[in-house]
Amino acid sequence: MRIAVTGASGKTGWRVVQEAIGRGLEVTAILRPGSLAPEGLAGARIERLELADIAALQRALQGCDALVIATGARPSIDLLGPLKVDALAIRHQLQACKAAGVKRLLLVSSLCSGRLLHPLNLFGLILVWKGLGERWLAGSGLDWTVIRPGGLKESEQDLEAEGIVFSEANQQESDSIPRRLVARVCLDALETPAAIGRIIEITSRRQQPPIALADWLAS
């Protein structure tokens, strides 16, 4: 499988790239022109472009089997940032995927996506725009999956002690999960046909009994 990852310079994106390379996949890491390339992108083909440049994005996606969308708005004084990144940029990526023949898409979103009454919406209505991006994805006619992680943690210590809590949409509201585990779930979902057309919420807990994504979907 050959995959592309947008938002590849982000803290979740580069981990998706790194985990994919570790599984023997060919990876195209897509970054904005001014982004720094983390060390975790070693081994990936790097493409620099603006997501609004649909023609350039289409060229970067040629030959790819799947796209992982790991873009996300960052805190800034631009209150339109979440609209641009979490909604409009999703539409651009959908257009480019259709033009390039990429049928499998996975979006890294957030718990509580789509909610209006939530403290995170003080930052440019971020959850509202994430919800709109999800709806555009679900209506695209492509083979999509949405992963909604809880609060993202940088720590990678004792990951084996963290069991993942899976749920359907709008079942979890809090708790957190290491970014590394989010990256692994993204790749597991790409490899699991039963994940297509699903919104999957994930958090993790110490001593949580481990369960594979495929087993949870089957249950």
Side-chain angles (χ1 to χ4, degrees):
M1 181 185 291
R2 180 178 172 187
I3 72 169
V5 180
T6 52
S9 63
K11 294 178 181 180
T12 300
W14 73 255
R15 287 175 169 90
V16 174
V17 171
Q18 195 174 63
E19 289 289 326
I21 291 173
R23 298 189 187 197
L25 306 183
E26 295 183 44
V27 184
T28 297
I30 299 177
L31 292 69
R32 293 182 64 186
S35 297
L36 296 176
E39 293 181 2
L41 300 186
R45 179 170 68 94
I46 294 178
E47 293 280 351
R48 293 184 176 275
L49 54 88
E50 296 287 354
L51 294 177
D53 188 344
I54 297 173
L57 182 55
Q58 177 188 344
R59 291 192 294 271
L61 292 173
Q62 290 293 333
C64 291
D65 302 297
L67 170 64
V68 176
I69 302 175
T71 53
R74 297 178 179 178
S76 115
I77 60 172
D78 181 7
L79 293 181
L80 294 180
L83 167 62
K84 297 172 185 175
V85 175
D86 294 308
L88 298 180
I90 302 301
R91 186 164 63 183
H92 297 151
Q93 291 175 81
L94 293 173
Q95 292 172 339
C97 282
K98 290 179 179 180
V102 178
K103 296 182 179 180
R104 185 73 175 98
L105 280 86
L106 184 143
L107 171 64
V108 181
S109 185
S110 172
L111 285 190
C112 302
S113 176
R115 291 194 186 180
L116 177 60
L117 300 178
H118 194 283
L120 284 178
N121 283 325
L122 295 175
F123 170 47
L125 297 176
I126 187 169
L127 294 177
V128 172
W129 301 127
K130 283 183 179 293
L132 180 57
E134 288 184 8
R135 291 195 295 275
W136 281 341
L137 178 66
S140 67
L142 301 172
D143 294 336
W144 60 272
T145 301
V146 172
I147 301 295
R148 290 181 177 176
L152 297 167
K153 299 192 294 187
E154 304 300 319
S155 175
E156 300 194 358
Q157 294 182 348
D158 300 324
L159 287 178
E160 65 279 0
E162 297 271 347
I164 297 174
V165 179
F166 296 101
S167 70
E168 302 285 354
N170 306 318
Q171 300 301 306
Q172 301 189 62
E173 296 187 2
S174 59
D175 290 333
S176 58
I177 185 169
R179 291 180 187 272
R180 179 69 62 178
L181 294 184
V182 175
R184 292 175 183 174
V185 171
C186 289
L187 295 170
D188 291 344
L190 288 181
E191 297 170 356
T192 307
I196 294 173
R198 302 287 292 270
I199 296 176
I200 302 169
E201 297 184 337
I202 55 172
T203 56
S204 67
R205 299 174 190 160
R206 294 273 176 170
Q207 310 307 322
Q208 172 76 16
I211 182 172
L213 173 62
D215 293 336
W216 176 77
L217 289 167
S219 67

